[in-house]
Amino acid sequence: MAAAQAIVASQYRRLAAPAALAPPRLRWQADIAVAGLLMLPLGAAYAVSASIWLAQSPPWLRPVAAPGIAATIAVWLLTWLLTTLIVAQRLRAPRPAQAARPSTMTAYVPQRHRWRSVFLWRQLFWLPFWRNENVTGLQQSVLLATAGASMLAWLLRAPLVPAPLLGLLASASLVIVTDRGDKAVREQIAVLRPVLNAWPLASGNLIRLACAASLLPALTVLLGAGVLLYVIDPATLQQRVTSVYAITACAALLAIVGLPRLTARGRVALVVFSILALSAIGSELWN
């Protein structure tokens, strides 16, 4: 049994001897012979084509017949040389595999992104208000456009409409756009509360950012109104009533957003009182 195994092993080593053990001259001769076998069909096609052209012998071919044949033979020999190099490259013995580096385990250090709260606010509050047939985004856009248009008409003293009525519309739009935005944010927070409690993150900053974002539409309109007054009538901007209106508006908006535990009746009373107070103060602007 051992003798039979030795005979089989010796025969396998003799048949599986790598080509790298052969002399270089012998390897090059073998590569040239293999490339020559590959080039025989191309040489035969060249010979047949040249024979046909020489048999027809058109007048324009006679002056260039000899250089053309020489160029064809040179191209064929060059192709043979390139084929030999390709065969030699393909038959080269493979390089020994490099030893795999042992994997090193490193401690995982979580990285806290600087703008993570802003990213989560966009994913959890901004995008849902515009998707899945949610009309919150469109509603807030309409209310913001109404607030901006009414504030612009009020400050520009649009004719045909009494200034107190425009002031009432502008003040009501400011309060309503903040109230509706804060309600939408509070409802979304209630929906996300189980998910936020399950996530390994402090959701306080995210909730505060979402609530503060509901103030941006009204504050943007107020800031635009201040810039417009500075351009068209700087004297009005310096009046005391203008400062009182701005301070009262900011206080009312902050109360709407910063008092989430108000009852439904208390919230309605706060909204109505804010609209009336702002309208009363704003009616003194153009008197």
Side-chain angles (χ1 to χ4, degrees), residues 14 23 42 56 59 90 110 121 132 155 168 181 199 212 216-217 228 242-243 245 264 275:
R14 184 176 63 85
L42 181 61
Q56 293 180 356
R90 294 292 295 176
W121 170 81
N132 298 329
L155 296 181
L168 174 63
W199 284 357
L216 290 179
L228 183 61
T242 306
S243 302
Y245 182 87
I275 294 174

Side-chain angles (χ1 to χ4, degrees), residues 129 136 140 143 176-186 214:
F129 289 160
T136 303
Q140 288 298 103
L143 290 175
I176 292 174
V177 69
T178 304
D179 177 62
R180 297 306 305 170
D182 183 68
K183 283 184 178 180
V185 170
R186 298 295 176 183
S214 59

Side-chain angles (χ1 to χ4, degrees), residues 142-232:
V142 173
L143 290 175
L144 177 60
T146 303
S150 58
M151 183 67 71
L152 181 64
W154 182 38
L155 296 181
L156 293 180
R157 306 180 188 183
L160 305 179
V161 182
L165 181 59
L166 290 176
L168 174 63
L169 180 60
S171 302
S173 300
L174 287 177
V175 175
I176 292 174
V177 69
T178 304
D179 177 62
R180 297 306 305 170
D182 183 68
K183 283 184 178 180
V185 170
R186 298 295 176 183
E187 293 174 358
Q188 185 69 5
I189 291 174
V191 172
L192 296 174
R193 181 71 68 180
V195 179
L196 294 177
N197 292 335
W199 284 357
L201 56 86
S203 58
N205 293 334
L206 177 62
I207 293 176
R208 284 189 288 269
L209 176 62
C211 295
S214 59
L215 291 171
L216 290 179
L219 294 180
T220 302
V221 174
L222 286 176
L223 181 61
V227 174
L228 183 61
L229 277 179
Y230 179 78
V231 173
I232 63 176

Side-chain angles (χ1 to χ4, degrees), residues 10 27 55 57 68 85 90 94 97 111 159 174 200 221 253 271-272:
S10 62
R27 292 202 307 269
S57 186
L85 297 177
R90 294 292 295 176
Q111 296 181 357
L174 287 177
V221 174
L253 300 179
V271 169
V272 173

